[in-house]
Amino acid sequence: MPVKIAIPTPLRPYTENRDIIEVDGQTVKELLENMSTRYPQLRRHLFSEDGRLRSFINIYVNDEDIRYLDGENTKVKESDFISIVPAIAGGN
Amino acid sequence: MHREVELTREEFLRYGRHLIMPEVGLKGQKKLKSASVLIVGAGGLGSSLAFYLTAAGVGRIGIVDFDVVDLSNLQRQIIHTTRDVGRSKLESAREKLSALNPSVEIETYETRLTSENAIEIIKDYDIVVDGTDNFPTRYLVNDACVLLKKPNVYGSIFRFEGQVSVFYAEKGPCYRCLYQEPPPPGLVPSCAEGGVLGVLPGIIGTIQALEVIKLILGIGEPLIGKLLLFDALKMRFRELKLRKNPSCPVCGENPTIKELIDYEEFCGITPERILHELGFEITAEELKSKLENGENIILIDVREPHEYEINRIHGSRLIPLSELPEKVNELDQTSEIVLYCKMGGRSARAVQFLRELGFTRVKNLAGGIDAWIEKVDPSMPKY
Ligand SMILES: [Zn+2]
């Protein structure tokens, strides 16, 4: 079941510049896993060495932060829209 | 917050379009006149912000910056003009703002905002607007605002994407509720390295100005507990929910941060610093003399192809940072390799990456091609 994931600008160099990709998965964890398999360089940007999602990257299912749902075990369905929202600091 | 103020005859005329709107009116305009707003950063976001807040009649505007106007700022920092290149940004900004609205009191702080001065500077303002360009200052502004119970109107930009929110711990989440920790230095490129579309800070800065005015007037729905995302290419705005994190280290139930900390340390040492301290770097002058002596050095440019098109050091090979892992086996581990980018940040990460793989003679060009242009070849175009 493919689910759409929005890739933020800073991570697009690692997804062949795609801004939206579709991956299969039942949970957020599966989606991220499958996405990192397809684009191996994404992995170290999304996860720290111990495999945890990096703390400057938040994942949203629709408009809700997965930290306030079921974390990476949050279930997803085809109509859901996933966003990866990293901290950016530019302003100058 | 609201000292008693009256409008002058001139001000009735100047703010006429506000006064005839019931949502602002005379009462609202007086609120604006008695309000004070601190803008941190007189750059891309600060330019449009400062102009609109001044035009709207905010009584007292403070600006913190320590930079000098550079030609490369003018593509987006519309408060400065070609004539201002080389001048202090604050002087330049003050001149434009006073010309626009002489009755607004402009206070300037020609300093970097630090843990030592932040409380002192921020405490006299009602609202803080974060228009800075780096993580240490953003965490500093956040923590100072939480400690002082002030709203922090946040905006940040990258290339053609922007984020806006109002962090107000009294009524909702703060920046640390959203991102407990910053990315390690070098992982996320800065605007100087990643670029920014010139119009984007104008759009994000004006949205921040709008949020400030709404907060002062107490109208509408401020972006408290909401993160607005803007994608300029798709012309799409999206809104995400932000929640207060009960375990937030600064605004949570048991805060561990009760005073300002060392934000440079908190945000980590940059890869450039590490390589510098280990001696794994080479200066532009050293590289020049090695090349002139005919030493066999492999020069690798880790920037993007469109940057390589603008300028490059003669004889270098382009391998963008993102492609380095797949091309690494084309490189000889024992040869002398020098990596460079624009300013030395991306190439420092590339050097670290190669050293971890066992490359022993790889070095970073300190200061990147910018330093090469300054020290060795000023005729080269700079961007
Ligand atoms: Zn917080």
Side-chain angles (χ1 to χ4, degrees):
Chain A
M1 185 190 63
V3 180
K4 286 195 176 70
I5 305 181
I7 308 296
T9 317
L11 292 182
R12 285 182 204 161
Y14 313 105
T15 58
E16 296 165 355
N17 274 318
R18 277 173 230 267
D19 56 350
I20 292 182
I21 58 176
E22 288 193 32
V23 271
D24 285 316
Q26 309 283 329
T27 62
V28 169
K29 198 183 188 69
E30 284 177 27
L31 293 179
L32 297 179
E33 194 51 49
N34 291 340
M35 190 171 72
S36 308
T37 305
R38 193 187 306 170
Y39 301 107
Q41 288 199 55
L42 264 186
R43 189 179 299 275
R44 69 188 187 91
H45 286 93
L46 294 176
F47 301 101
S48 55
E49 271 92 61
D50 58 5
R52 282 190 316 134
L53 201 58
R54 289 182 179 273
S55 58
F56 57 88
I57 289 180
N58 289 326
I59 309 284
Y60 284 80
V61 174
N62 304 315
D63 66 350
E64 188 66 80
D65 189 332
I66 61 164
R67 290 183 296 166
Y68 301 101
L69 297 168
D70 259 340
E72 288 179 58
N73 297 320
T74 302
K75 293 223 171 0
V76 291
K77 48 187 191 303
E78 199 170 348
S79 55
D80 287 335
F81 188 74
I82 315 300
S83 310
I84 301 174
V85 186
I88 53 174
N92 201 24
Chain B
M1 164 165 170
H2 302 300
R3 45 195 167 103
E4 261 320 297
V5 292
E6 295 302 330
L7 297 194
T8 64
R9 276 173 62 87
E10 191 256 34
E11 285 171 331
F12 274 100
L13 196 55
R14 178 184 284 266
Y15 305 122
R17 299 292 191 280
H18 272 166
L19 298 175
I20 56 178
M21 281 198 298
E23 292 80 3
V24 185
L26 182 58
K27 202 167 150 230
Q29 196 62 50
K30 285 182 176 179
K31 282 186 185 171
L32 288 168
K33 189 172 178 178
S34 61
S36 58
V37 177
L38 182 73
I39 300 172
V40 188
L45 296 170
S47 284
S48 52
L49 249 166
F51 265 137
Y52 273 108
L53 293 179
T54 302
V58 169
R60 193 163 68 93
I61 294 178
I63 314 176
V64 189
D65 206 303
F66 57 91
D67 222 349
V68 167
V69 180
D70 184 82
L71 198 54
S72 68
N73 298 149
L74 304 183
Q75 160 257 21
R76 61 200 179 283
Q77 300 182 9
I78 56 168
I79 204 164
H80 312 299
T81 68
T82 311
R83 214 165 46 91
D84 297 316
V85 170
R87 275 178 93 191
S88 124
K89 283 191 177 175
L90 288 184
E91 241 176 72
S92 160
R94 178 197 285 281
E95 187 181 283
K96 313 306 170 352
L97 299 176
S98 300
L100 172 60
N101 193 343
S103 63
V104 171
E105 200 182 317
I106 309 285
E107 301 222 27
T108 53
Y109 304 87
E110 191 122 34
T111 171
R112 191 187 290 273
L113 197 72
T114 66
S115 303
E116 285 69 46
N117 63 22
I119 298 286
E120 198 51 41
I121 293 175
I122 292 175
K123 72 174 178 26
D124 294 330
Y125 290 87
D126 302 325
I127 298 172
V128 178
V129 199
D130 180 351
T132 57
D133 61 353
N134 61 82
F135 286 107
T137 317
R138 289 195 181 273
Y139 279 91
L140 166 62
V141 170
N142 179 71
D143 292 359
C145 286
V146 173
L147 296 174
L148 291 167
K149 306 185 196 315
K150 311 266 184 193
N152 165 19
V153 180
Y154 161 92
S156 74
I157 49 175
F158 181 71
R159 291 201 167 163
F160 33 78
E161 215 170 279
Q163 302 181 345
V164 192
S165 188
V166 175
F167 296 117
Y168 194 5
E170 296 297 290
K171 297 189 174 174
C174 80
Y175 185 60
R176 277 185 197 265
C177 294
L178 178 59
Y179 297 113
Q180 212 152 31
E181 286 165 28
L187 202 61
V188 180
S190 67
C191 282
E193 287 200 336
V196 62
L197 203 65
V199 187
L200 184 67
I203 294 171
I204 299 299
T206 41
I207 294 175
Q208 287 176 284
L210 187 55
E211 288 301 303
V212 169
I213 289 170
K214 279 161 60 187
L215 287 173
I216 295 171
L217 297 176
I219 60 170
E221 295 168 25
L223 282 170
I224 296 172
K226 292 180 275 191
L227 180 69
L228 183 71
L229 301 181
F230 174 61
D231 180 336
L233 292 187
K234 296 226 155 140
M235 198 46 80
R236 193 168 58 193
F237 286 94
R238 293 179 52 220
E239 204 181 284
L240 302 174
K241 278 186 202 142
L242 299 185
R243 292 176 190 272
K244 199 171 180 78
N245 181 357
S247 59
C248 173
V250 65
C251 83
E253 286 155 10
N254 296 301
T256 51
I257 299 169
K258 292 171 183 158
E259 55 184 54
L260 299 178
I261 59 170
D262 182 338
Y263 293 87
E264 297 291 340
E265 189 192 304
F266 170 67
C267 291
I269 309 167
T270 62
E272 294 121 285
R273 271 271 308 278
I274 295 169
L275 294 178
H276 174 78
E277 275 155 27
L278 293 171
F280 297 161
E281 71 172 16
I282 181 168
T283 66
E285 294 95 328
E286 284 164 359
L287 178 63
K288 177 181 182 252
S289 66
K290 276 177 178 276
L291 292 172
E292 279 173 355
N293 292 340
E295 286 186 40
N296 197 12
I297 293 175
I298 297 171
L299 252 181
I300 295 173
D301 187 325
V302 300
R303 296 174 300 161
E304 297 300 310
H306 51 266
E307 298 178 85
Y308 190 75
E309 235 172 72
I310 301 171
N311 60 17
R312 72 206 73 86
I313 300 177
H314 182 73
S316 61
R317 174 181 172 191
L318 175 69
I319 306 180
L321 183 58
S322 60
E323 291 170 23
L324 191 60
E326 56 193 81
K327 298 214 165 124
V328 70
N329 48 17
E330 298 169 19
L331 302 172
D332 175 14
Q333 291 210 352
T334 58
S335 49
E336 187 167 5
I337 302 175
V338 172
L339 302 179
Y340 73 89
C341 61
K342 178 169 160 53
M343 295 154 75
R346 282 171 287 176
S347 53
R349 285 172 53 211
V351 168
Q352 282 184 325
F353 173 73
L354 292 181
R355 288 210 167 248
E356 279 162 24
L357 291 177
F359 285 76
T360 50
R361 299 176 66 205
V362 52
K363 286 189 171 176
N364 189 31
L365 176 61
I369 198 165
D370 279 4
W372 178 267
I373 295 171
E374 196 189 318
K375 306 271 171 53
V376 176
D377 185 3
S379 69
M380 203 184 269
K382 191 167 183 269
Y383 62 96

